[in-house]
Amino acid sequence: MGKACTWLTGIVLLIVFWLLSRQLFDSHQLLERLRAILVQPEWILFMVVSYLLSFVLKAEAWRTYAGREHGIALYLHGIFYSLLINHLLPVKAGDLVRTGILMKNARLRWDNALHSVVMMRLADMLVLGLISAIGMLWLGMTMSWIAVAAASAVTLAAVAAIRFTPIRRRTFVHRHLAQLKTIVLSRRGPYILALVAASWILEAAILFGIACMGDTRLDAASSIWANSITIGGQIFHVTPGGIGTYESTLSGSLAVLGVGWEEAYATALLAHAFKFAFSFMVGAYSLIRMPISLREAKEWLRMPRRSIQHTNSTSERTF
């Protein structure tokens, strides 16, 4: 059901992108803005360094959660591989390869490596949600009762799923919950969340830079909010790199901030193009520095299915 809703929403956003493109796509304007970007290398350097540093902070947050037993390069390569895969496939499968990288190089069990990746994703969504909510209050928006009800329903469903997990699987769940509780209640918890928050603030430098080079009126705080809304919307990723869903969400966010639709659409296209180029460059770097085989990648992508099959076979033996 959840997967169907995700795909349906993704398709709706793709239709919105198609409608926007029919009305707003202007190759001449895009080329002019691209030329304006290319003749301002200082802004390009600013965006590259800020975006790269955002991933360094994410890698340090992940490393801190996992225990700091390995250098930051391992975690950075894992994130770069995840970024590359997510920009090549129509599903967000990058985290599975990211898990495999950690499992292989840190010699961990699959479920332990996956646990740390999932926790980092939850931290991402928590921070993005907080930034989005704060931005809405700052902009004077009112929180819809539907949004509050939906968030409450998701929270209750998650609690119920944990509370009423069958006995045969509770040991597994409790082991990971105990690990999460230990870290969150330690000094590492706030430190990890601070790193994650700083990383998303830095990522907004791309949107801010593209806007400034295109003479679009957008301040730093607005860029951070629009970027957070857009990244949160990528849970509806149904195309390589979220093509269409990214542009629709960012265009709408910028329009809410008072940016004209034409400017918002062009800014979204160029910001996303920058992220695509960056993803391929850092992905190529990781392929050279920490190569993996195609066989390994395919095996890691199949791991969730194998885990489910293993759980089912264990259940049959238990009962």
Side-chain angles (χ1 to χ4, degrees):
M1 181 66 179
K3 187 178 291 187
C5 288
T6 297
W7 274 87
L8 180 60
T9 305
I11 295 300
V12 170
L13 288 172
L14 279 177
I15 293 172
V16 171
F17 173 62
W18 176 73
L19 292 172
L20 287 174
S21 298
R22 284 194 62 185
Q23 295 293 322
L24 304 174
F25 184 82
D26 185 338
S27 59
H28 177 72
Q29 182 194 33
L30 287 172
L31 285 173
E32 286 297 315
R33 292 194 62 167
L34 182 59
R35 290 192 189 98
I37 291 172
L38 295 177
V39 298
Q40 300 183 70
E42 67 281 1
W43 273 108
I44 296 176
L45 180 62
F46 166 74
M47 292 190 297
V48 170
V49 171
S50 298
Y51 200 29
L52 181 60
L53 185 55
S54 77
F55 288 110
V56 172
L57 294 183
K58 286 183 176 69
E60 176 58 22
W62 185 18
R63 176 173 172 263
T64 301
Y65 188 90
R68 290 179 172 169
E69 295 179 5
H70 300 273
I72 195 173
L74 169 59
Y75 300 92
L76 196 56
H77 284 303
I79 291 173
F80 286 166
Y81 268 112
S82 176
L83 197 63
L84 176 63
I85 296 299
N86 284 340
H87 282 80
L88 290 173
L89 299 180
V91 292
K92 291 184 78 72
D95 283 339
L96 298 177
V97 175
R98 174 177 170 178
T99 302
I101 292 288
L102 182 61
M103 178 186 70
K104 174 186 175 182
N105 293 279
R107 301 180 183 278
L108 297 176
R109 288 164 45 122
W110 173 264
D111 65 299
N112 287 333
L114 181 62
H115 167 84
S116 67
V117 172
V118 171
M119 290 304 107
M120 288 300 95
R121 281 306 186 191
L122 289 176
D124 286 337
M125 297 311 295
L126 173 62
V127 168
L128 290 170
L130 286 173
I131 292 175
S132 300
I134 291 170
M136 290 176 69
L137 294 174
W138 171 65
L139 290 168
M141 300 180 189
T142 56
M143 295 290 286
S144 167
W145 69 268
I146 298 177
V148 173
S152 302
V154 170
T155 303
L156 288 173
V159 171
I162 294 171
R163 177 66 183 84
F164 299 109
T165 301
I167 297 298
R168 61 180 177 270
R169 298 184 63 185
R170 276 200 177 183
T171 302
F172 170 84
V173 173
H174 284 178
R175 177 159 59 87
H176 289 289
L177 285 177
Q179 181 182 348
L180 172 63
K181 182 179 178 181
T182 300
I183 294 172
V184 169
L185 296 180
S186 71
R187 287 181 297 178
R188 283 189 285 168
Y191 176 64
I192 290 170
L193 288 177
L195 287 172
V196 172
S199 74
W200 288 115
I201 290 172
L202 281 170
E203 181 166 331
I206 293 177
L207 174 57
F208 181 68
I210 295 291
C212 287
M213 286 185 284
D215 294 325
T216 298
R217 296 183 61 182
L218 191 70
D219 59 33
S222 298
S223 299
I224 293 168
W225 179 77
N227 182 72
S228 299
I229 291 288
T230 303
I231 299 301
Q234 294 311 291
I235 59 173
F236 307 114
H237 178 126
V238 293
T239 56
I243 294 174
T245 57
Y246 182 97
E247 288 80 2
S248 297
T249 311
L250 182 52
S251 297
S253 300
L254 293 176
V256 168
L257 292 168
V259 178
W261 276 102
E262 288 187 6
E263 279 189 285
Y265 174 79
T267 300
L269 281 179
L270 291 170
H272 205 191
F274 182 94
K275 289 188 174 184
F276 259 90
F278 183 92
S279 301
F280 291 137
M281 285 190 292
V282 297
Y285 172 75
S286 288
L287 280 168
I288 294 170
R289 297 292 298 170
M290 189 176 284
I292 62 172
S293 67
L294 184 60
R295 181 186 60 81
E296 285 178 315
K298 288 181 177 179
E299 183 179 343
W300 296 334
L301 292 174
R302 295 191 192 104
M303 282 300 291
R305 188 179 302 172
R306 291 183 179 180
S307 298
I308 293 172
Q309 291 173 347
H310 175 72
T311 300
N312 291 339
S313 63
T314 301
S315 301
E316 290 171 2
R317 289 196 299 270
T318 302
F319 289 92

